[in-house]
Amino acid sequence: MSVIRSVITGTGSYLPKQILTNSDLEKKVDTTDEWIIERTGIKQRHIAAEDEVTSDLAVIAAKRALESASLDPNQIDLIILATSTADQTFPSTATTIQRKLGITGGAAFDIQAVCSGFVYALTTADNFIKAGQAKHVLVIGAEIFSRILDWEDRTTCVLFGDGAGAVVLSSQNGVGNNTDQGLLSSRIHSDGRYNELLFVDGGVSSTGTVGQLRMKGREVFRHAIVNLASVVGEVLEDSNMSSENIDWIVPHQANKRILDGTARKLKVATNKVIVTVEKHANTSAASIPLALDEAVKDGRITRGQVVILEAMGGGFTWGACLLRW
Ligand code: UT7
């Protein structure tokens, strides 16, 4: 039987030039390099320049992904951007990216699932491809979280950074079993009861302001490992696989302790987890494609391997994708 599969044919990423180290943060809030590294694994984060907006970061990552897929921008028939830090309230930042890439056809829209945004966007793109409604989709995660942080709150401002990552997802034929290349399973979840554990205290229809990020970190941490291990179990089961089949986990880069804890719960060796959080901190929807791009470009992820992408974020939202590279 021939089935349609969505295959990642190109990856790209971008981090703004300015770097803010933990030592720089010691001068702003009551924190230490040692505390941040021990509790999170983060050493530095990148901060967008004053004149840079989210679509600027996204366009650079997207161009790099298109180049690695050897595709022309006009071959893209759908752009899905995962972001919580849009350029404007409307239109969608995805349409701005479309304009900046010189694409005049197809469709473009944003997805809001905070740190799970990339998994949500990839799952959506996969469904468009499987339904035969798109052939080449640009899936991007891009964020400028530095603009929604309370720079006087040491419990949150040390954790986040700015960046963008992108993939090209293309339609290919498969035979319909788990030896196929491409996305074999994806699952997304949300539970709005946990809204108040991680949120931004502003918005268009509530305060009329942008607001700042607020988080009860310890409680988010507690839910993260349980939810992530559970959703990875679902995509493994969907694909008739077990954790022994996993070659790589490319997690949302929030905190090294969460990455290691989830791997341990899944009984996957921690050296199979791609970790980049030390270089760019938590970049929300951008973190999975940033980590993926690094591991693909440096040759760790190779064709045929089984790769898990997983994330959890505000809402709560969480999800995972299983793909054969
Ligand atoms: O991206 C999706 C969602 N986000 C996450 O996944 C984040 C999940 N949570 C976490 O990563 C961790 O909970 C944090 C890194 C946020 C915090 O680590 P923790 O081990 O849970 O620390 P804690 O919140 O229990 O705080 C321990 C202590 C507290 O002091 P007391 O009450 O024990 O005296 C905090 O006030 O550390 C203090 N603290 C700090 N100290 C130095 C909190 N932030 C800082 C700081 N520097 N930046």
Side-chain angles (χ1 to χ4, degrees):
M1 188 181 67
S2 175
V3 298
I4 299 176
R5 293 288 190 195
S6 309
V7 176
I8 294 180
T9 51
T11 63
S13 61
Y14 171 72
L15 289 165
K17 283 194 191 68
Q18 193 200 333
I19 290 175
L20 187 68
T21 63
N22 292 349
S23 326
D24 295 332
L25 277 170
E26 284 177 355
K27 295 173 198 124
K28 285 176 181 268
V29 285
D30 181 16
T31 192
T32 60
D33 181 40
E34 296 73 40
W35 189 95
I36 302 172
I37 292 177
E38 191 198 310
R39 301 289 176 131
T40 72
I42 298 165
K43 293 185 179 157
Q44 60 175 48
R45 65 287 296 139
H46 291 247
I47 305 292
E50 251 173 56
D51 61 353
E52 265 180 325
V53 289
T54 297
S55 62
D56 294 327
L57 276 52
V59 164
I60 299 173
K63 283 183 176 166
R64 291 175 179 169
L66 284 164
E67 196 184 321
S68 82
S70 303
L71 279 189
D72 190 66
N74 272 303
Q75 290 175 273
I76 294 295
D77 37 32
L78 180 62
I79 299 171
I80 306 180
L81 170 72
T83 192
S84 301
T85 48
D87 291 6
Q88 294 160 279
T89 301
F90 80 75
S92 70
T93 304
T95 59
T96 306
I97 294 167
Q98 186 187 29
R99 171 173 55 78
K100 289 182 177 175
L101 289 172
I103 300 174
T104 51
F109 60 86
D110 292 357
I111 276 189
Q112 160 62 288
V114 206
C115 298
S116 313
F118 189 77
V119 170
Y120 268 60
L122 202 66
T123 302
T124 307
D126 179 41
N127 285 328
F128 271 93
I129 287 177
K130 284 193 299 208
Q133 293 191 5
K135 194 161 167 43
H136 298 294
V137 187
L138 200 46
V139 185
I140 310 168
E143 303 276 19
I144 301 191
F145 257 51
S146 61
R147 304 221 170 113
I148 53 165
L149 295 177
D150 175 351
W151 287 100
E152 289 178 358
D153 175 10
R154 69 173 186 173
T155 69
T156 52
C157 76
V158 304
L159 304 173
F160 296 89
D162 305 336
V167 303
V168 174
L169 199 64
S170 300
S171 166
Q172 281 184 23
N173 286 328
V175 296
N177 63 32
N178 70 9
T179 65
D180 283 347
Q181 194 189 350
L183 261 153
L184 299 177
S185 169
S186 50
R187 292 277 187 135
I188 54 173
H189 294 283
S190 64
D191 188 339
R193 285 177 300 169
Y194 298 104
N195 239 284
E196 80 287 357
L197 296 183
L198 176 49
F199 65 103
V200 167
D201 61 5
V204 179
S205 69
S206 51
T207 58
T209 62
V210 171
Q212 290 177 322
L213 184 149
R214 307 290 171 207
M215 177 167 73
K216 296 204 170 75
R218 207 178 304 180
E219 282 151 79
V220 176
F221 192 107
R222 212 161 40 81
H223 283 91
I225 295 177
V226 176
N227 288 346
L228 290 169
S230 156
V231 74
V232 170
E234 287 175 43
V235 293
L236 284 169
E237 196 180 325
D238 288 346
S239 315
N240 295 315
M241 290 190 195
S242 70
S243 36
E244 282 152 34
N245 297 102
I246 298 174
D247 291 301
W248 295 107
I249 300 180
V250 186
H252 164 50
Q253 309 283 317
N255 180 329
K256 180 142 192 325
R257 284 157 55 217
I258 297 180
L259 311 195
D260 290 346
T262 308
R264 269 196 302 273
K265 200 165 170 61
L266 289 165
K267 297 191 170 55
V268 172
T270 49
N271 64 4
K272 291 185 171 185
V273 182
I274 306 293
V275 183
T276 55
V277 69
E278 74 280 6
K279 295 177 196 161
H280 53 67
N282 182 344
T283 57
S284 184
S287 86
I288 288 179
L290 270 162
L292 185 65
D293 187 41
E294 178 172 312
V296 170
K297 299 263 165 75
D298 71 19
R300 274 178 289 174
I301 296 180
T302 55
R303 284 289 166 214
Q305 290 185 328
V306 172
V307 180
I308 298 271
L309 315 179
E310 41 96 329
M312 144 116 191
F316 288 150
T317 55
W318 66 101
C321 298
L322 185 153
L323 48 106
R324 188 176 290 285
W325 195 256

